[in-house]
Structure formats: structure tokens, C-alpha cells
Amino acid sequence: MPKPGLSPLASPPGSKEASCHVSMSLPSASQSQSWLKYVSLGVLVLQTTSLVLTMRYSRTLLGEGPRYLASSAVVSAELLKILTCLLLVFYDHSFSVRALNRVLNEEILNKPMETLKLAIPSGIYTLQNNLLYVALSNLDAATYQVTYQLKILTTALFSVSMLGKRLGLYQWLSLLILMTGIALVQWPTESLGGPYSTPLSAGSQLVGVIAVLIACFSSGFAGVYFEKILKETKQSVWVRNIQLGLFGLVFGLIGVFVYDGERVRESGVFQGYNSLTWTVVALQALGGLVIAAVIKYADNILKGFATSLSIILSTLISYFWLKDFDPTNVFFLGAMLVIAATFLYGYEGKRPAINHSKV
């Protein structure tokens, strides 16, 4: 006999038919989530690899006229990031101008102290973005990619000291492997000096390495500081990025006129800009938004996979296309250790399964 309130064809909620119906409806949602995970991951690999390679190519390309100013490109990227985040907030509020105006007033103008908190990470991010141009002007893309993974170490140390996080055995082991791998990548070797290679002087390589190291420390501190602010408030990530961008725009403009003021007066802010320069600007501006999507949909192991794939692609393209890199056995050993450390840092031991039949 069917239970009261159920038709003869309906199945009770606890029956096998009902559970089967529920299980059939779940794959569509899980498949959609899995699709978004891998799409965001692919976009991250594409963005990371293309940014490094196009930035390196744009800084070493010999062309007519003056080279574009790195400080100007940083300002352009901040401006584009602000406009993109404004569009995202506009979209989140159903394209309502009134709602957008209300959000900007309530979250930015009416909360000056909250907004000022973003000045510190914003200034550091501006410094970091300028340093990346310096690094890629003096290092090949592959060496830069591997060395820049030192930010995993700095981020972990700042997370422990500022957020009180605890690292497990795998994390500490991965940091030790990471440092060993980066030391091997930077191990001095004699360049093969191929016919198409552009050998760098020891002085320029040192400048590049120092720029990457400072960028790693600044990235670690600013990232953890920003995470702490996000956890203390419930503001939208897009609104926070607008606040970061506004300060970044101010700091960036100061940098333009302090360090490149004379060149700007001679040839303008956008001197040397071409389609490649604008591509670099767009990739740098959208990088943070891509990372936000990956954090939402992917896990640490998949992010480690993306980083590893990006390192491999950068190495291959630097060798076969840019022809500015001669890999050695020591470099490959160091790169493999860094890739292994990236995976290990995101690894979490399997939790024991719970036997629900005994509950």
C-alpha cells in the first residue's frame, strides 16, 4: 500500500527509486563544476605562460623608436583592472547605475579607513609589478618562471607569522625541496652560446635575480595582508580590487613621473606602445581576476599542476621560439624539484573514510 500523500506511482523519499532519482540529478551539477574547474585552470595556464613570454619578448625586441616605459605599462594595467572590476560590479547589480553608485559610495567613499587599509598592499603590488618588468628584461622566461615560485615560501612564512596558520609535514618538506630546486636553477653554468641565443652578462642576470627575489617577498607579504583584510570584512572581491587599483593608479603615476618624468616630457606616456605592449597590459590586468576564478573553482593540487605546466611551456617556448635559453641538466633537475615541491605543498593526506553503516 502506498503511504498517505503519495500516489501509487510515487516512491517514498527513502526508497531506492528516490535515491536513484537524486543520484541521476547530481552528475549534471558536478559535471558543470568540473567543467568550470578545468576551464579556469586552462585559462590560468594560458594567462601565466603568455604574460611571461610576451613581457619577455616585448622587453628584448629590437625595434625602431623608443621602448615602452614599464612604469607606464603598470599604470595602464591598473586602469584596465579598475574598469574591468567596475563592469563586474555593474553586472552583479543587474546593470543598475543607481546600485553601482550606491555600492561605490557605501563601500569606498563612506568608509575611508577601510579603504586606506588597502594602501599598503597596493603600494607593494605596484612595486612588484615594476620589478617583474625589470626581472624579465634581464632573465630568460624559464629561469624567471622557476625562480618566481619562491613566492610559495614567502607566502607560507608570512601566513604562519601574520595569520597564525600551521603548516603540516608535507608543506615544510615541500619548502625545503623548493629552496633546493631554485638554488640549482640559479647555479652558475657556462652558456652554450648558440647562434640564436642572446647571452646575458653576469651583472644583468644578478639584477634580474634580485628583482625576482624582492618581488617574491613583496608578493608574499601583500598577498597575506590582503587575505587578512578580506577575512575581516565582507566586501566584494571586485570592490576590494577597485580600491587596490585606485591606490595602485596613484602610486604608479608617482613612479612614472619620478623615474621616467624626463622621458615622458620628451616622447609622452605611451611612447613605444604597440599591439604587443597592449597585450602585455591586458594580460597583467586580468591576471588577478583569473586567479580569483581559480581559487573559487579549483584546488591547490590543480593550481600546482597549472604552475608546473606553465613552467614547462615557458621553457620549451624560450628554447625553440625566443631562442634565449640553453637548458642544462642542472636546470632540469632544479625545475623538476620546484614542480614536485609545488605539488607537494598543495597535497593533503587522505582522511580516513567514515563508515556510515555503523552510525
Side-chain angles (χ1 to χ4, degrees):
M1 290 292 292
K3 292 185 179 181
L6 292 174
S7 68
L9 298 177
S11 301
S15 68
K16 292 182 179 179
E17 290 83 354
S19 62
C20 188
H21 175 73
V22 172
S23 65
M24 289 176 66
S25 64
L26 288 176
S28 60
S30 61
Q31 287 174 359
S32 176
Q33 190 76 3
S34 177
W35 180 80
L36 286 171
K37 179 190 298 184
Y38 289 105
V39 166
S40 61
L41 201 65
V43 172
L44 178 62
V45 173
L46 182 63
Q47 187 272 337
T48 304
T49 307
S50 56
L51 173 60
V52 172
L53 293 172
T54 53
M55 190 182 290
R56 168 65 180 169
Y57 185 64
S58 69
R59 299 306 290 173
T60 56
L61 181 65
L62 297 177
E64 296 181 358
R67 180 186 294 176
Y68 73 92
L69 304 176
S71 57
S72 169
V74 170
V75 170
S76 299
E78 291 294 340
L79 186 58
L80 182 57
K81 184 175 75 173
I82 292 171
L83 293 175
T84 304
C85 289
L86 282 172
L87 285 174
L88 289 169
V89 175
F90 193 39
Y91 170 79
D92 286 343
H93 291 82
S94 305
F95 299 104
S96 170
V97 177
R98 181 177 297 178
L100 175 64
N101 184 57
R102 176 178 53 79
V103 169
L104 294 179
N105 278 303
E106 288 181 358
E107 301 296 337
I108 298 178
L109 297 179
N110 295 339
K111 296 180 179 179
M113 296 309 297
E114 290 293 323
T115 302
L116 281 173
K117 288 181 180 179
L118 274 297
I120 294 175
S122 179
I124 297 174
Y125 278 135
T126 303
L127 171 65
Q128 173 193 332
N129 290 334
N130 280 281
L131 287 170
L132 297 187
Y133 281 96
V134 175
L136 281 166
S137 298
N138 295 280
L139 292 175
D140 59 82
T143 303
Y144 163 83
Q145 275 278 65
V146 177
T147 308
Y148 193 47
Q149 299 316 306
L150 190 65
K151 64 183 179 181
I152 297 174
L153 171 64
T154 59
T155 302
L157 295 179
F158 282 120
S159 295
V160 170
S161 60
M162 294 173 62
L163 299 179
K165 286 188 177 181
R166 293 185 177 181
L167 300 181
L169 176 63
Y170 289 117
Q171 280 73 38
W172 286 115
L173 181 60
S174 70
L175 296 179
L176 181 62
I177 297 173
L178 177 71
M179 288 187 292
T180 305
I182 291 176
L184 288 175
V185 167
Q186 295 301 329
W187 194 268
T189 56
E190 293 183 2
S191 175
L192 296 179
Y196 299 103
S197 63
T198 54
L200 296 168
S201 67
S204 66
Q205 287 184 336
L206 180 61
V207 169
V209 171
I210 291 174
V212 173
L213 293 178
I214 298 175
C216 287
F217 278 95
S218 62
S219 173
F221 177 78
V224 173
Y225 187 95
F226 188 49
E227 180 184 348
K228 186 176 181 180
I229 292 175
L230 285 176
K231 288 183 175 181
E232 291 175 350
T233 60
K234 295 182 179 180
Q235 277 185 326
S236 163
V237 176
W238 311 131
V239 173
R240 284 301 192 189
N241 274 284
I242 292 172
Q243 293 171 314
L244 278 174
L246 290 173
F247 283 113
L249 193 61
V250 173
F251 290 133
L253 286 172
I254 292 173
V256 168
F257 291 103
V258 169
Y259 295 104
D260 297 310
E262 186 175 345
R263 296 176 64 185
V264 169
R265 285 188 289 271
E266 290 177 358
S267 305
V269 176
F270 298 107
Q271 58 180 284
Y273 271 55
N274 52 32
S275 57
L276 182 62
T277 309
W278 285 113
T279 301
V280 172
V281 167
L283 288 170
Q284 190 174 29
L286 301 179
L289 307 182
V290 171
I291 292 172
V294 171
I295 289 172
K296 183 176 181 180
Y297 295 113
D299 55 23
N300 281 327
I301 295 179
L302 285 175
K303 282 190 289 181
F305 177 77
T307 301
S308 305
L309 188 57
S310 180
I311 289 173
I312 294 170
L313 287 175
S314 297
T315 303
L316 293 175
I317 296 174
S318 289
Y319 179 70
F320 288 107
W321 182 39
L322 297 182
K323 300 183 186 299
D324 63 349
F325 175 62
D326 290 318
T328 63
N329 292 333
V330 176
F331 175 88
F332 276 122
L333 176 59
M336 290 301 102
L337 287 175
V338 170
I339 290 172
T342 305
F343 273 103
L344 188 60
Y345 187 80
Y347 175 76
E348 295 178 2
K350 292 183 179 179
R351 297 176 182 178
I354 299 175
N355 190 346
H356 293 282
S357 61
K358 294 183 179 181
V359 178

